[in-house]
Amino acid sequence: MAFKNFKFESDADGIALVTWDIPGRSMNVLDETSILELEEIVKQTTADAAIKGVVITSSKEAFCAGADLSMLEGMSHTYVQLLQEQGEVAANQVLFEQSRRFSQAFRSIETSGKPWVAAINGLALGGGFEITLSCHYRVAAENPKTRLGLPEIKVGLFPGAGGTQRVPRIVPPQDAMQLLLKGEAVNLARAKQLNLIHAIVPPGELIKAAKDWIKGGGKAVAPWDEKGFKLPGGPVFSKMGMQMFPAGNAIYRRETYDNYPAARAIMSCVYEGLQLPIDAALRVESRYFTQVLRSKEAAAMIRSLFLSMQELNKGARRPAGVPPTKVKKLAIIGAGFMGASVGYVSAKAGIDVVLVDRDQESADKGKAHAKSVIDGLIAKGRAKEAERDALLSRITATADYNVLKDCDLVIEAVFEDRKVKADTYAKAQPLLKADAVFASNTSTLPINSLAEEFKDQGKFIGIHFFSPVEKMMLVEIILGKNTGDVALATALDYVRAIGKTPIVVNDSRGFFANRCVMRYIAEGNEMFLEGVPPAMIENTAKMAGMPVGPLSLSDEVALDLGLKIMKATEADLGPNAINQDHKKLMVELVEKQGRFGRKNAKGFYDYPEKGKGQKSLWPGLAELQPKHLDPDALDVEELKQRFLVVQAVEAARTVEDHVITDVREADVGSILGFGFAPFTGGTLSYIDFMGTKKFVELCHKFEARYGSRFTPPKLLVEMAAKGETFYGRFPPKKPVAEAAE
């Protein structure tokens, strides 16, 4: 048998070895060719009496990364076309048949009458993991890096090839729901404990162990196809089932606010499917999968959180023609919390780092931060002492600026003060080597104005990290008007090397992310001053899909820093540049009440001592509100919309201002940078999926009621009149060759 994506061979014992190896790809994915060939392999091995059993494995480092989501996106486009040409019934039928092909192929493995073994030699996620679950036996090669899981929920989908039915038939429902609803992958030890795999063996013995199971009389019947099979959590309508599902439903509501159709579908699939025989249950799953695949949430999340993110990570914005760059040695000037965190993630990525500060003690504190972070990981069993020693050996702490002489990239992370930054640049510039790139980690000060203090502005760029750096995946790269291609390529290659996702924006006060998120925080302040109860402000924001409420976020950012930014903006641009009522509120909280936010355990919230309970809204807030509105008279939907609309309209302004020049970056940046409701696909997708005409009407409604912050920009009004979308008017360029690989 000859196939393109699989190698097929059989031995003297009649055991077939099917090795997955898609040519030209670093990882196997379930694409159109793979599923066609797998269907044929099952058909031929089932019919061939000489074949006694089948082992499926991979010749790559991983088993399979999951389904090719661009194929699923293509199915959605086909659906839209059929809907227009043949109507809803025909379109639904075609989508249903297409979307259950994986499910049917995997079920044919299970019912083939031949024992199938999954020999898992590395990562197996999504559809790749679902293949293994349909095999009668699963053996994995020992590897601390191997992870198994079903992450589909993270892109607005759910496991639609049997995952929602096989997992809760293998593991208890509480564990099954964790795997399905959180989408987090598990290591081999946990997978074995849950019975998701049957054995772990040394890598060299993987195929032998798989074949031995077949030779030892391994049964070609799945547990749920045997008579008398009992669910691990008992029947749905049992005491245990009744403890699980009502509580699970409450947790689902608390975590998602019913914003994610895929999460709701998982709950329904498991609840309904466990009451049915497996074939009927798989049909139920396929129906829900078809429904979710048609949802705008799935379309938006697949586009932004998978396709666009992948393209940006692969260098979609990297200038063509610039050879790959490699930052071997990095200097960070300013070893405070932010600088020290950047140093940690860079050293973790294998880069030599020098932390430079005004004195040795301050520099040493920065290195101590890196030690405390990795010590925490060691305590949780997520890192080894040898890794800590290697990481710390790559970090040098010093007060001597002469170390800059052999650094490829220098990142300034000093205090947000023009004079402090200017002094730093004056001190650093004479020491830089000719081809070194210099970056500022400023979060608010425009790059062009900072670049005025720099002689070679072509080598000057902004690299804006988000706090906490260890967790936040986004890095904003800011171009000054004179920034050169080499500086941009170096910044992008560096961000890629440390495993973050970059977006490239043009200079503007607040750049992209802070411009939008400050609108979110300000809207919380507006509601507070209007008299909306603080708890209602926080809860409606989370109901809208934001990860934390605006008052809580203000505390995290620090109220005194917010006030400082207001004062700096006012000093630069005049009193009309800021909201004076908001300034008055911050002055009251910070200067009169001494409430700086989480950092001094007092802000909009009171914070308990570490490990002693939860934060709670400060009771004194009511006295700071000029009036108090009746919560029962407020429109919850409108409050939710205000939070999303105010950020989305600002994102549209950044497109009009040419701060954002690639729509993918607004969407990916808004989700990764400040948690803009992920189910929308991001700020611009939120507008596109609502429809520009409807969005502009909503803007005008809010503008009349609440003021000019909701005024849509001319670009958006023009797009609404023409019925245009952002992705239609500004289609993203296809990624250039992956020059930095």
Side-chain angles (χ1 to χ4, degrees):
M1 296 183 198
F3 299 99
K4 184 184 169 191
N5 288 359
F6 293 93
K7 295 187 188 101
F8 185 97
E9 53 195 295
S10 57
D11 63 15
D13 295 312
I15 297 173
L17 179 63
V18 177
T19 307
W20 204 348
D21 187 10
I22 300 182
R25 292 194 79 141
S26 58
M27 275 198 183
N28 295 319
V29 292
L30 269 168
D31 57 9
E32 186 64 36
T33 305
S34 291
I35 199 67
L36 268 171
E37 292 185 354
L38 191 61
E39 286 169 337
E40 188 55 33
I41 288 166
V42 176
K43 198 184 292 179
Q44 291 185 23
T45 54
T46 302
D48 189 345
I51 300 290
K52 305 302 178 198
V54 183
V55 174
I56 183 167
T57 191
S58 160
S59 67
K60 300 187 188 294
E61 276 186 28
F63 181 79
C64 174
D68 178 2
L69 291 190
S70 55
M71 180 177 75
L72 293 181
E73 195 189 35
M75 282 161 57
S76 297
H77 290 320
T78 304
Y79 171 77
V80 171
Q81 197 177 336
L82 282 170
L83 193 63
Q84 291 166 346
E85 293 170 3
Q86 297 179 29
E88 192 172 5
V89 174
N92 287 350
Q93 187 63 41
V94 169
L95 189 62
F96 176 67
E97 295 303 337
Q98 282 184 330
S99 65
R100 69 187 302 235
R101 270 186 70 199
F102 289 172
S103 183
Q104 289 175 312
F106 300 169
R107 181 62 176 152
S108 69
I109 289 173
E110 211 164 50
T111 58
S112 64
K114 303 283 174 83
W116 274 66
V117 181
I120 305 165
N121 61 306
L123 185 87
L125 298 176
F129 185 43
E130 286 177 294
I131 289 179
T132 72
L133 294 176
S134 69
C135 292
H136 305 102
Y137 189 73
R138 295 172 290 282
V139 57
E142 204 169 357
N143 182 345
K145 291 183 180 174
T146 295
R147 295 291 180 272
L148 310 176
L150 300 162
E152 289 90 338
I153 192 75
K154 295 180 179 180
V155 290
L157 291 171
F158 70 89
T164 69
Q165 300 311 312
R166 292 189 180 95
V167 170
R169 282 169 169 78
I170 295 170
V171 304
Q174 287 91 336
D175 293 316
M177 286 305 194
Q178 288 283 321
L179 289 163
L180 294 165
L181 287 169
K182 287 197 168 178
E184 287 166 8
V186 296
N187 62 22
L188 290 179
R190 179 66 176 145
K192 173 84 165 54
Q193 187 186 23
L194 291 169
N195 205 30
L196 291 167
I197 53 173
H198 298 100
I200 303 168
V201 299
E205 295 174 25
L206 181 65
I207 303 304
K208 181 182 180 299
K211 289 184 172 184
D212 283 350
W213 183 81
I214 294 170
K215 284 192 273 191
K219 284 171 74 176
V221 183
W224 36 89
D225 285 323
E226 297 212 64
K227 198 174 177 185
F229 169 70
K230 286 184 168 55
L231 292 166
V236 168
F237 289 100
S238 67
K239 190 177 178 184
M240 197 169 170
M242 286 301 99
Q243 284 174 346
M244 159 64 200
F245 286 100
N249 200 38
I251 293 166
Y252 153 76
R253 289 274 175 179
R254 185 190 71 196
E255 297 295 319
T256 70
Y257 292 97
D258 212 18
N259 286 323
Y260 295 85
R264 188 188 182 96
I266 286 170
M267 296 290 293
S268 299
C269 280
V270 174
Y271 179 74
E272 293 172 33
L274 291 185
Q275 299 175 60
L276 298 167
I278 188 73
D279 286 304
L282 290 170
R283 262 198 315 278
V284 166
E285 180 189 71
S286 293
R287 290 187 189 284
Y288 277 111
F289 190 76
T290 307
Q291 185 183 28
V292 167
L293 203 54
R294 287 161 48 202
S295 70
K296 65 181 182 183
E297 290 85 356
M301 290 176 78
I302 289 171
R303 182 170 70 187
S304 295
L305 291 173
F306 182 77
L307 300 171
S308 294
M309 198 152 94
Q310 203 174 56
E311 287 159 6
L312 295 177
N313 284 337
K314 285 182 177 177
R317 293 300 310 280
R318 197 181 188 281
V322 179
T325 68
K326 188 173 172 68
V327 174
K328 289 176 187 163
K329 192 168 185 183
L330 166 74
I332 298 162
I333 305 174
F337 179 69
M338 184 59 88
S341 299
V342 174
Y344 167 77
V345 297
S346 302
K348 194 179 177 191
I351 298 169
D352 288 330
V353 175
V354 284
L355 286 175
V356 186
D357 215 312
R358 60 183 179 275
D359 53 53
Q360 190 63 44
E361 188 186 350
S362 302
D364 287 340
K365 271 185 189 169
K367 183 168 180 175
H369 171 74
K371 183 177 183 298
S372 72
V373 173
I374 197 156
D375 279 346
L377 293 176
I378 291 168
K380 291 174 186 168
R382 285 162 53 193
K384 293 186 169 68
E385 290 190 9
E387 291 173 70
R388 176 187 61 197
D389 298 342
L391 184 142
L392 293 175
S393 73
R394 288 193 284 270
I395 302 176
T396 305
T398 182
D400 183 5
Y401 270 64
N402 283 308
V403 294
L404 303 183
K405 288 178 179 174
D406 59 348
C407 291
D408 309 299
L409 173 65
V410 178
I411 298 176
E412 163 271 299
V414 301
F415 195 63
E416 283 287 273
D417 180 289
R418 286 183 190 283
K419 187 174 184 321
V420 175
K421 290 186 186 292
D423 291 347
T424 303
Y425 302 164
K427 211 169 170 183
Q429 279 183 82
L431 301 168
L432 300 178
K433 64 179 186 177
D435 58 347
V437 171
F438 195 96
S440 174
N441 177 50
T442 180
S443 57
T444 53
L445 300 171
I447 286 296
N448 286 322
S449 62
L450 294 178
E452 288 168 11
E453 304 294 332
F454 212 80
K455 283 175 191 152
D456 186 356
Q457 293 187 17
K459 301 272 177 59
F460 191 88
I461 196 164
I463 301 181
H464 174 214
F465 288 86
F466 294 78
S467 185
V469 176
E470 294 89 353
K471 290 181 182 173
M472 297 296 280
M473 291 308 298
L474 188 76
V475 176
E476 212 170 16
I477 293 173
I478 305 107
L479 298 176
K481 60 176 184 267
N482 297 317
T483 301
D485 280 356
V486 172
L488 173 58
T490 302
L492 285 167
D493 292 350
Y494 161 67
V495 169
R496 191 176 180 190
I498 61 171
K500 305 286 186 189
T501 296
I503 63 169
V504 180
V505 303
N506 286 321
D507 194 25
S508 151
R509 183 173 291 272
F511 318 128
F512 168 72
N514 280 346
R515 270 182 67 166
C516 295
V517 81
M518 293 314 279
R519 289 284 177 188
Y520 173 60
I521 288 173
E523 199 60 26
N525 291 342
E526 286 285 350
M527 290 180 184
F528 182 83
L529 294 171
E530 285 168 21
V532 179
M536 198 169 186
I537 295 170
E538 297 291 84
N539 288 333
T540 51
K542 286 188 278 188
M543 288 165 75
M546 298 301 292
V548 294
L551 309 182
S552 183
L553 185 58
S554 288
D555 279 1
E556 294 294 335
V557 171
L559 302 184
D560 59 331
L561 176 62
L563 180 58
K564 207 167 278 176
I565 291 167
M566 279 185 191
K567 287 181 174 179
T569 306
E570 189 175 28
D572 280 1
L573 304 174
N576 292 334
I578 65 161
N579 186 309
Q580 293 297 329
D581 289 335
H582 292 195
K583 181 186 170 188
K584 191 178 165 190
L585 174 62
M586 287 302 125
V587 166
E588 176 66 40
L589 282 163
V590 174
E591 295 178 358
K592 295 182 183 174
Q593 302 287 344
R595 304 186 73 86
F596 301 162
R598 183 184 269 281
K599 68 181 183 183
N600 79 334
K602 294 186 296 183
F604 281 104
Y605 285 80
D606 282 325
Y607 296 85
E609 284 179 49
K610 211 168 187 182
K612 291 191 179 175
Q614 292 184 315
K615 67 181 184 182
S616 56
L617 284 160
W618 177 45
L621 288 176
E623 292 171 28
L624 302 188
Q625 289 186 284
K627 56 186 170 180
H628 299 95
L629 299 175
D630 175 8
D632 291 333
L634 294 170
D635 184 339
V636 169
E637 278 307 308
E638 184 168 288
L639 293 175
K640 284 163 59 178
Q641 283 181 322
R642 279 172 63 181
F643 282 124
L644 299 186
V645 170
V646 80
Q647 295 176 82
V649 79
E650 187 64 24
R653 290 186 193 113
T654 66
V655 176
E656 185 173 78
D657 297 345
H658 303 292
V659 173
I660 284 288
T661 57
D662 187 316
V663 289
R664 292 173 296 191
E665 293 177 310
D667 278 344
V668 172
S670 61
I671 295 172
L672 296 189
F674 49 94
F676 185 85
F679 67 89
T680 65
T683 44
L684 299 184
S685 282
Y686 175 65
I687 298 171
D688 275 6
F689 280 100
M690 184 186 293
T692 43
K693 187 170 183 288
K694 191 175 170 189
F695 182 80
V696 165
E697 285 169 3
L698 195 54
C699 285
H700 286 316
K701 175 185 154 187
F702 288 166
E703 179 188 19
R705 202 171 291 175
Y706 302 109
S708 61
R709 64 188 182 277
F710 288 104
T711 306
K714 284 178 186 170
L715 169 69
L716 199 50
V717 173
E718 182 190 310
M719 286 169 62
K722 293 179 181 175
E724 292 177 324
T725 62
F726 280 100
Y727 280 79
R729 179 157 174 160
F730 306 103
K733 293 172 191 158
K734 286 293 154 200
V736 292
E738 291 171 39
E741 276 205 326

